[in-house]
Amino acid sequence: MHMQDAKEVLKLRDICLRFGKAEVLRGVDLSVKQGEVVVIIGGSGSGKTSLLRCINLLNVPSSGSIVIDGETLFDLDRSGADKAGLKPAQVNRIRAQTGMVFQQFNLFPHMTALQNVMEAPVTVKRQNRQEVEKRARDLLAQMGLDQHVDKRPAQLSGGQQQRVAIARALAMDPKVMLFDEPTSALDPELVGEVLKAMVALARSGMTMMVVTHELGFALEIADRVIFIDQGLIAADGPPEQVLLHPEHPRLKQFVGRFHETADLLRPFLEGKTAAATH
Amino acid sequence: MTFDWTVVTSNAHLLWQGFLITLYYTVTTIVAGLLIGLVIGLIQLSPFRPLVWLGRLYVEFFRNIPLLVIVLWTYYALPIFLGVNITKGWAGFLALSFYVGSFYAEILRAGVQSIDPGQTDASTALGMSYGQRMRRIILPQAFRRMVPPLAGQSIIQMKNTTLLSMITVPDLLYQGSYISSFTYRPMEIYTAIGLIFVVVLVPLTLLSRKLEKAGMVTK
Ligand SMILES: Nc1ncnc2c1ncn2[C@@H]1O[C@H](COP(=O)(O)OP(=O)(O)OP(=O)(O)O)[C@@H](O)[C@H]1O
Ligand SMILES: [Mg+2]
């Protein structure tokens, strides 16, 4: 990869987030380059979701700064002085440059798949309806959903819903896509179709930040893996280094659990493939 | 005792006039109440604390005072406080509208708050403003859930208009007591009035059940 000279799409500096007394993020610095795929791992409650939600201000940090493609979305120093001073309309516009995919899909249940994808470009960007519809149909086709454009979310499987959600986010032409455990709510047999769509998206050059427990996916597609522990980035490096040769003690423990389950399953998996080839 | 239904048939024109008045106040106060409920409900959902409290104050005030007291107070006391003349029609209209508005506001607030916060997350993340989120995403879903309680409250509202007779607005009930006063047959008259309400409201109840079912299908 030639990431050295690619431009920065996202820059977080010293992000802190508090819920009441609880310090959930304690100073996260991170920059993501154009086309980079960053996988975020970490234990439950470590702050992964919180970090993603800070990037589009669904959670408002108590301090820190967020710059998306050169535009400052948020800038509050630890003394509380607001250096960005943005109006809500400006925040909405910059925020629309990120796309988010949620664990629970969060599709709009009163709209069809097509209407879900068309909603934001028409309502927020006021783009021409015919052009938006054409683009939305293309995106849904790209997600393998040509047959389902006129169905409502309730008529779709979890995997199909999540792919509609990806298309909905892509319709706004985001500079960076944020995925929060996009396959955790899916039945195991549906995980593959969503991961496949995400791999294709990554290969097409989309900048992505992905919170996931699918370490195989991370090894396959990530440029970097970040391990979050107690609200801080505890490890940050290429996937082989972070996942296969962890140094940080808690990261070792965390990755070890996955290796253990993989080891436990191996005989079964191998037996199964052996049986299948006979 | 035997029922003598001729007192009803021979005074049908009076009952009909009363029925029209009842219908008139039912419809107009429901419409006005919906507007009030929309405003007060949205105020209670706004991010500004003082506005929220103002909305709460309104709702608790009108929900917790007996309607009869509100009606009488609006007719007898309000004109003195404001130094203006209010006709009994206006007093009744205002009292009933403000009263039902507080219930509608609560239905709206509960309906909006019952929508999964993930819907707000998703629409916010797409760059939608507060107004766009409400108009396009939250309210259309909330309205569907609000149909049954709105219908229920509106049915109660029609029955509540009978309190207008206390300030001599010539509604169905007022006509009933008037007819009784010269026929001395209150049993027949009030039974007939009860039946009129049943005949109007039962089909409406059935209709709201249908709407509720339709809403569930599209969910
Ligand atoms: N809205 C909130 N109010 C209060 N505390 C919260 C809120 N959201 C998250 N937290 C707390 O912040 C901490 C981090 O939560 P977060 O959801 O970011 O963790 P996570 O790493 O995504 O965990 P998981 O793997 O379980 O999804 C947790 O202790 C959680 O209880
Ligand atoms: Mg999470």
Side-chain angles (χ1 to χ4, degrees), chain A residues 17-20 22-25 42-51 53 59 103 180-181 211 213 228:
Chain A
L17 174 69
R18 270 196 304 265
F19 287 115
E23 286 190 72
V24 174
L25 297 175
S44 183
S46 57
K48 306 179 297 293
T49 298
S50 303
L51 177 62
R53 290 172 61 93
N59 288 341
Q103 188 173 345
D180 187 13
E181 302 201 32
V211 174
H213 295 299
I228 297 212

Side-chain angles (χ1 to χ4, degrees), chain A:
Chain A
M1 300 263 163
H2 306 281
M3 289 291 167
Q4 281 76 18
D5 12 276
K7 72 169 176 179
E8 269 175 5
V9 174
L10 177 69
K11 192 165 175 57
L12 304 180
R13 202 185 42 76
D14 199 25
I15 296 291
C16 298
L17 174 69
R18 270 196 304 265
F19 287 115
K21 282 214 179 73
E23 286 190 72
V24 174
L25 297 175
R26 299 183 297 140
V28 173
D29 289 290
L30 177 68
S31 65
V32 179
K33 291 190 175 129
Q34 174 102 54
E36 215 176 359
V37 176
V38 179
V39 163
I40 301 171
I41 59 172
S44 183
S46 57
K48 306 179 297 293
T49 298
S50 303
L51 177 62
L52 278 197
R53 290 172 61 93
C54 277
I55 295 172
N56 57 10
L57 291 191
L58 286 186
N59 288 341
V60 180
S62 40
S63 66
S65 75
I66 304 166
V67 179
I68 295 171
D69 200 32
E71 280 190 287
T72 303
L73 173 63
F74 184 83
D75 192 355
L76 199 66
D77 63 25
R78 288 201 182 195
S79 70
D82 184 358
K83 291 186 284 180
L86 295 182
K87 297 199 180 67
Q90 290 168 299
V91 169
N92 289 336
R93 186 180 58 79
I94 305 173
R95 165 191 276 154
Q97 305 189 1
T98 65
M100 187 173 244
V101 175
F102 302 85
Q103 188 173 345
Q104 302 296 341
F105 329 134
N106 295 345
L107 290 181
F108 307 133
H110 57 306
M111 299 181 181
T112 65
L114 185 66
Q115 289 167 335
N116 264 277
V117 179
M118 290 175 62
E119 179 58 33
V122 171
T123 304
V124 178
K125 288 192 172 171
R126 307 206 178 285
Q127 290 174 344
N128 175 281
R129 189 170 268 280
Q130 273 79 42
E131 283 163 27
V132 171
E133 177 169 345
K134 189 174 171 301
R135 175 88 203 292
R137 284 184 187 277
D138 284 349
L139 283 169
L140 285 168
Q142 198 179 311
M143 291 289 139
L145 295 165
D146 342 31
Q147 304 299 310
H148 306 291
V149 284
D150 292 321
K151 291 192 184 154
R152 290 189 186 242
Q155 299 167 286
L156 297 170
S157 74
Q160 291 165 338
Q161 288 189 55
Q162 194 60 300
R163 285 180 285 147
V164 174
I166 295 173
R168 176 177 70 177
L170 289 174
M172 288 295 274
D173 293 314
K175 303 266 167 57
V176 53
M177 284 283 283
L178 312 170
F179 294 84
D180 187 13
E181 302 201 32
T183 58
S184 297
L186 296 176
D187 291 339
E189 74 268 22
L190 300 178
V191 169
E193 62 190 59
V194 171
L195 289 182
K196 221 175 86 193
M198 289 172 63
V199 169
L201 191 60
R203 298 237 160 93
S204 76
M206 176 57 75
T207 311
M208 293 165 54
M209 288 185 68
V210 187
V211 174
T212 185
H213 295 299
E214 301 286 338
L215 298 193
F217 171 83
L219 274 173
E220 171 82 16
I221 207 73
D223 297 304
R224 269 159 79 195
V225 174
I226 286 174
F227 174 63
I228 297 212
D229 185 47
Q230 297 178 346
L232 282 172
I233 294 183
D236 180 351
E240 300 76 25
Q241 182 195 318
V242 175
L243 297 176
L244 303 181
H245 308 289
E247 279 163 19
H248 188 281
R250 255 197 296 273
L251 173 58
K252 254 186 194 156
Q253 205 183 7
F254 180 81
V255 175
R257 279 208 306 274
F258 284 92
H259 290 184
E260 270 167 37
T261 34
D263 286 341
L264 283 174
L265 285 174
R266 188 154 298 132
F268 298 99
L269 293 174
E270 278 164 2
K272 206 171 153 192
T273 42
T277 47
H278 283 154

Side-chain angles (χ1 to χ4, degrees), chain B residues 205-216:
Chain B
T205 311
L206 295 178
L207 183 70
S208 95
R209 290 253 163 82
K210 267 232 170 74
L211 286 175
E212 185 182 355
K213 281 223 184 77
M216 293 220 267

Side-chain angles (χ1 to χ4, degrees), chain B residues 141-163:
Chain B
Q141 293 181 58
F143 279 138
R144 255 160 244 199
R145 294 190 193 178
M146 283 156 50
V147 167
L150 283 180
Q153 191 59 50
S154 303
I155 284 166
I156 296 173
Q157 180 71 356
M158 178 160 190
K159 295 188 286 180
N160 278 344
T161 59
T162 52
L163 290 177

